[in-house]
Amino acid sequence: MFRQRAAEVACFAFIAAVGVQLVASQTLTCYNSSTTCTSTSVRLTGTRPAGQCCLNRGGRSYRASSSTACTPCAIYGFFQSPNSIAPSTTVYQKEGSQLTVYFGFVNGTFSGTHSVSFSVPDNNRYIKSFTTGSLSSAATRQQFTLSIIPDNIALQPPLSVAVSALVDGSSELVLPFNAVILDADVVTIGFRESEYTVTEGASPPDQYARVKLAKDKTIAQPLSVQVVPLTVDQFRPLGIPLPDGITFADLFNPAQYIPNGPMDFDKSILNLTFTSSQREINFNVAIVDDQINEADQQFICIVRLTNPSVNASGNVIIKNPSTVITIADDDLDTSNEFVLPFNAVILDADVVTIGFRESDYTVTEGASPPDQYPNLKLAKDKTIAQQLSVQVMAFTFADLTNPAQYIPNGPMDFDKSILNLTFTSSQTELSPNVAIVDDLINEADQQFICIVRLADPTVFASPRQIGPLNTHPDPIAIAIGFGADTYTFTKGQQIFYADTVKLVKDDGVVSEQTFSVTVIAQPNAVDNQAMFGVDYDMGPYAVQTFTITPDQLSVSIGLAIVGFVNRGAVVTEGGDFIECVAVTDPPPELTMQLSFYIQVLLVPDTADASDVSSDAFFIGPFDNTNRMYCFSINAHEYFEGNQTFTYSLTLIGEQVPVVIYSIVTMVTILDNTTLTIGFDPTQYAVNESNSYVTLGVSILGGATIQGASVGVMFSTGDGTALAGQDYNQTAQLLTFNESTAYIPVAVGIINNGYYEDDISFQANLTLQSAGGYEQFVTLSPAMATATIIDDINGVTIGFDQIGYSFLENQRYARVSVRVLQGQLKKSVAVQFRTIRGSAVGPYDYTETEKILVFNKSTHSINVDVPLVDDGLAEDNESFLAQLLAVSPSGRVTIAPATTLITIIDTNSVIIGFEKQSYQISKHQNQGRLPVKIQVLQGTLGRTVLLHVKTRDGSAIASKNYISIDYDLPALNFSVHELTVNGSIIVNDLAEDDKVFSVELSPISPSSRVTIAPRSAQVTIIDDNAALRVNVTVVAMEDDVPSARSSQHFIASSVRLTIPPYTPPQAELCVAFMILDNKVALEPNKTFSIKVMPSPKVVLLRPISHVLIVDDDAVSVNFTSSNYTSVGSGYTAVCVSKDAVTASNINVEITLTSANASCSEFLNSNFMK
């Protein structure tokens, strides 16, 4: 519906953004004037005085800054980023993070500088961080920040924080904004232990498995969980992990749970609730003592959320979702008194199959007996222990080629009677006879279907369970009902006579009580439509209660009918008409009892109470004298489409025998005014760099829509701009209604990258629908033009890389210059040239300069710069290539304008010692080292710095040579050889030759320079006179043995080391073992000592002899000092010696007499 509201004026704020339209109901103040928009300052036509407001341009508010021009009010809002186009009204942010949004200009007209301040409610869940600022331009954005504090409390509901902004101290033109803080804390719950043990027959309170459930964090709201005890078999398919360290193989004896039978544990689900700070819940799982001696048993408890939706945001983690409970059995197997009775029930596992023998049977319709039946065969495949009853039923089936018919109480093709058949124990086949009816009609062959089913489906249950039969007494019934199935009356006559419609009780049945019967007059929709021509007369219904006493056999009832006289009236907007309600003539005896009221109630359709003068009232009473009441309906004069509404009738007061047959009447209000919709404005301009242009379509001419909708198709058409190349083809159905007077349409702009003239396209409006009132809608202006202004930077030409690398032995360096962004429709010339760097032309490359021309078909040009291989091993060198604009337009950018070309050296050199070993005598060349370092292969094109040092071997620095550790002078293109400055230490010692090494290492390593060999060995040759240094002294027998080894001496050798710096003529002693053989009177003996020298030792006396002088003594004595002679003869006188001698001892014995001298001597010769 369209309505002109000339007297109702308000200011609205509009946001020209895609899909967003905001309307503020309050009066708005525009910032380029101090005058407030009011209804008195509005001018819809004519010249607008400066400083006053103009209004009602598609719901947008303007303020006149001159006598003719109007500017829209500035609207402000919050954005999620500094560059966002569309404002946001809600932003979600998690705890522990920082919310940053930006406040600025949204739409309208911006001018001047405006102060901005923010405010939010105080809360300990965040820290405010913002300052008062200002907006100096439409592009300025003020930052607003909330630091959201993590509080370690889980399950907190989202907190909505209203952020307020004041522009120049007012929030009138600021869009609402809310920051919603989401809880980021996660609470973990689970069983405290992975396993619990309980004794089966423990005394209270130990008869329970005491299980602990824990959580790790404070929560903001109670958290309900369920603990579910399960057997292992029930738990296994759930896929829930077992506790750590436990596998299914570890569950050695699973506990059982049998519903309504023996069990090991209580399977009841436990509902538990964690409070805010509660960290642990102790709960009991009941264990059943089955009085059976058995192995310990196990079952599993799992924990789950009572309401899984609590965890929609993933804030709850169940870490240990299961625990194993072991039931330790304590029953003793001492006798059979605790043994439960047991029966083994053997169940039949055999299956008997029954069915039709064939899938298709044929019978001739008029065959003679016994061929008048189809030869059906029903078979079973197994012997049965009891009789099996089945039923065969015949059916029609619409999907058959020519279905046979079965019409009850009429012609049919087959007998549809159910056949009851019974298989005996060993009977394998039955032949049911389905009768075929010969209808004596010439027709195509026909088909029907037979099915077989069990007569008693419970036979199929295994095992069979037969319960007790319920028996009920069968009392004598009393039937009460209408006297006839159908009563027929004619509209307009006296109807429902009291003696016509009756409630009847069974004749001859005596009742001992009074019956109350309620009769409901319920219209039948189909019959109602046929009777009254209305398809919505479905109530309300007349309800009345009648009483039948024991002595009454029937009761008469009667009804009156009430309804509208005129139905479906039409009135022109602004006119009125009369509607009447009347009572159809009832029977005389009934009308005397009537006295009731009717409520007339407005039922809104497309019209409402504001469109008519009456919405609800009462009429009546209806009685024997008053049979009709009339009332007036008045329609308001609005500019709108045709409207409809209905009046309904409702019976008021106690229930009376009245049926309201025409309960509603529809009234149609004809509209006779037009509505104008069009573009506002008709000319638009947009930069090509923008993503879209917004075109506005408004209701024009001061009208609006009330309770209806108008559909207008918006579509674009090519001009100089082409769809798909310059803009997005757009077709959109615009729906205008009571709340929508202006619709913005965004058309996407395509940045084609071409440098070109400004281009344009058209937008058109086409009427699609107006609820059947299209003739009242005018589209004007129905066309608008949008101009795309080419403001892009045009084309970017540059090197495709900012650096290139090429091997020196390549012939040339190829670089590529490309159109990197955009496309050209005109030729652009660019100068290419090379610039010296560490590489210098013409020695390293050939200097190059040329003009490159790009156009629509040429997007890439390769430039080859010749390279020069100079054969020198040198560092990588580089030079620049540069691009300079020659004739581009102002929208052509050269970037990157330079690129670095690196020449990778492919030549190499080998630097090392002249020789790998050197020899120098102590007194040669005054001790100077002869070591040299040379460029052994290749040519140096760079400077190479080396470091040289010595390393000890058998020669020791500062004793045998002067240590070296220094940087050598540079090797380069002109210096190819270096001498190592070093010397040996000259001494007069006779010693072994000594060795040390000289090592070479690069100071700045290069892959093109190889150091080989890296070390050289220097041998110091000893040229001093020989002195004793190291000798071996050997004791040995002479060539003609005198002293014998192991008899007179021990043959051995002694290594004698003469320390360095031992002075000349120094004596060193060597000891050898001389053996004492205790033999006297031996001659002296000799043995030899020989010196075995080491190299460089000259012996003056290499052999010496050792004389062994015998120092053993022997004594000879008489064995006694007195000898006595008896008688005459000889007297023995004995002598002895005290040592072994090497030779005989001659002893002379002299005899003397005490009185005279004896002259006789006795000579004796002793043995050795």
Side-chain angles (χ1 to χ4, degrees), residues 958-1010:
S958 301
K959 286 187 177 182
N960 304 103
Y961 68 94
I962 303 300
S963 176
I964 296 174
D965 191 351
Y966 69 94
D967 295 338
L968 291 169
L971 288 172
N972 50 39
F973 180 76
S974 58
V975 178
H976 307 283
E977 181 178 279
L978 298 173
T979 300
V980 177
N981 294 325
S983 60
I984 64 173
I985 298 175
V986 180
N987 57 33
D988 295 328
L989 299 178
E991 55 189 350
D992 294 335
D993 296 344
K994 306 289 184 180
V995 177
F996 66 96
S997 60
V998 183
E999 297 180 346
L1000 192 63
S1001 61
I1003 295 177
S1004 55
S1006 170
S1007 60
R1008 312 311 307 161
V1009 178
T1010 302

Side-chain angles (χ1 to χ4, degrees), residues 679 681-687 692-696 714 716-722 726-727 745-749 758-764 783-789:
F679 285 105
T682 58
Q683 298 294 325
Y684 298 86
V686 60
N687 290 334
Y692 62 89
V693 59
T694 300
L695 287 72
F714 174 100
T716 54
D718 289 348
T720 54
L722 302 178
D726 303 300
Y727 71 95
V745 181
V747 178
I749 302 301
D758 295 344
I759 53 180
S760 62
F761 64 92
Q762 283 77 44
N764 302 283
M783 187 179 73
T785 301
T787 301
I788 303 174
I789 301 172

Side-chain angles (χ1 to χ4, degrees), residues 640-710:
E640 53 196 352
N642 295 351
Q643 304 295 302
T644 60
F645 64 94
T646 59
Y647 276 116
S648 69
L649 303 181
T650 304
L651 184 65
I652 302 300
E654 297 180 358
Q655 296 292 346
V656 293
V658 176
V659 172
I660 305 176
Y661 71 91
S662 260
I663 62 170
V664 294
T665 183
M666 176 178 288
V667 180
T668 301
I669 304 174
L670 299 179
D671 194 10
N672 55 5
T673 316
T674 60
L675 178 73
T676 301
I677 298 176
F679 285 105
D680 181 22
T682 58
Q683 298 294 325
Y684 298 86
V686 60
N687 290 334
E688 189 174 357
S689 59
N690 289 355
S691 58
Y692 62 89
V693 59
T694 300
L695 287 72
V697 183
S698 301
I699 297 176
L700 305 175
T704 186
I705 298 177
Q706 180 79 17
S709 63
V710 175

Side-chain angles (χ1 to χ4, degrees), residues 196-213:
Y196 295 85
T197 301
V198 59
T199 302
E200 180 176 333
S203 301
D206 298 328
Q207 76 274 29
Y208 299 104
R210 297 181 176 178
V211 184
K212 295 183 183 294
L213 198 63

Side-chain angles (χ1 to χ4, degrees), residues 188-192 212-216 274 279-281:
T188 300
I189 63 173
F191 290 103
R192 178 72 74 187
K212 295 183 183 294
L213 198 63
K215 69 175 175 67
D216 65 347
F274 279 102
R279 291 303 176 99
E280 194 172 84
I281 297 178

Side-chain angles (χ1 to χ4, degrees), residues 663-966:
I663 62 170
V664 294
T665 183
M666 176 178 288
V667 180
T668 301
I669 304 174
L670 299 179
D671 194 10
N672 55 5
T673 316
T674 60
L675 178 73
T676 301
I677 298 176
F679 285 105
D680 181 22
T682 58
Q683 298 294 325
Y684 298 86
V686 60
N687 290 334
E688 189 174 357
S689 59
N690 289 355
S691 58
Y692 62 89
V693 59
T694 300
L695 287 72
V697 183
S698 301
I699 297 176
L700 305 175
T704 186
I705 298 177
Q706 180 79 17
S709 63
V710 175
V712 176
M713 177 59 70
F714 174 100
S715 61
T716 54
D718 289 348
T720 54
L722 302 178
Q725 298 182 17
D726 303 300
Y727 71 95
N728 292 328
Q729 182 78 43
T730 303
Q732 180 178 336
L733 180 62
L734 312 180
T735 301
F736 294 87
N737 50 41
E738 184 174 357
S739 61
T740 305
Y742 172 83
I743 299 178
V745 181
V747 178
I749 302 301
I750 300 174
N751 188 342
N752 59 17
Y754 288 118
Y755 169 60
E756 55 192 346
D757 296 330
D758 295 344
I759 53 180
S760 62
F761 64 92
Q762 283 77 44
N764 302 283
L765 300 179
T766 305
L767 183 62
Q768 295 294 303
S769 63
Y773 309 110
E774 286 77 7
Q775 69 272 23
F776 300 115
V777 180
T778 301
L779 300 181
S780 179
M783 187 179 73
T785 301
T787 301
I788 303 174
I789 301 172
D790 185 9
D791 67 330
I792 63 172
N793 290 326
V795 178
T796 300
I797 298 177
F799 292 104
D800 67 342
Q801 302 180 61
I802 59 174
Y804 297 85
S805 295
F806 300 95
L807 297 178
E808 186 177 11
N809 57 9
Q810 290 181 233
R811 291 189 304 163
Y812 54 81
R814 172 167 290 179
V815 297
S816 180
V817 184
R818 300 176 183 273
V819 177
L820 301 177
Q821 181 179 350
Q823 300 182 35
L824 282 172
K825 286 189 176 179
K826 300 179 181 180
S827 297
V828 175
V830 177
Q831 180 186 17
F832 174 94
R833 70 178 183 179
T834 56
I835 301 175
R836 291 185 178 185
S838 56
V840 178
Y843 306 105
D844 300 302
Y845 67 94
T846 300
E847 293 182 343
T848 304
E849 184 173 345
K850 58 175 59 179
I851 300 297
L852 311 179
V853 179
F854 296 87
N855 51 44
K856 186 175 182 179
S857 60
T858 302
H859 305 281
S860 176
I861 299 176
N862 294 328
V863 180
D864 293 336
V865 179
L867 301 179
V868 178
D869 189 353
D870 55 13
L872 300 178
E874 54 192 347
D875 292 332
N876 295 342
E877 299 173 313
S878 61
F879 63 96
L880 289 175
Q882 185 184 42
L883 298 177
L884 300 173
V886 176
S887 61
S889 70
R891 294 179 184 168
V892 176
T893 301
I894 307 298
T898 59
T899 186
L900 182 68
I901 301 173
T902 300
I903 303 174
I904 301 174
D905 186 45
T906 57
N907 300 301
S908 62
V909 295
I910 299 176
I911 299 175
F913 289 100
E914 174 192 18
K915 296 185 296 182
Q916 287 187 278
S917 63
Y918 296 86
Q919 293 183 344
I920 181 172
S921 299
K922 288 185 178 179
H923 298 87
Q924 176 186 348
N925 198 27
Q926 297 180 349
R928 294 189 181 91
L929 291 180
V931 179
K932 292 185 178 180
I933 297 169
Q934 295 179 342
V935 177
L936 302 178
Q937 179 180 319
T939 304
L940 274 175
R942 53 163 289 181
T943 298
V944 176
L945 298 177
L946 303 172
H947 182 82
V948 66
K949 66 178 181 179
T950 54
R951 186 181 298 275
D952 287 353
S954 56
I956 306 301
S958 301
K959 286 187 177 182
N960 304 103
Y961 68 94
I962 303 300
S963 176
I964 296 174
D965 191 351
Y966 69 94

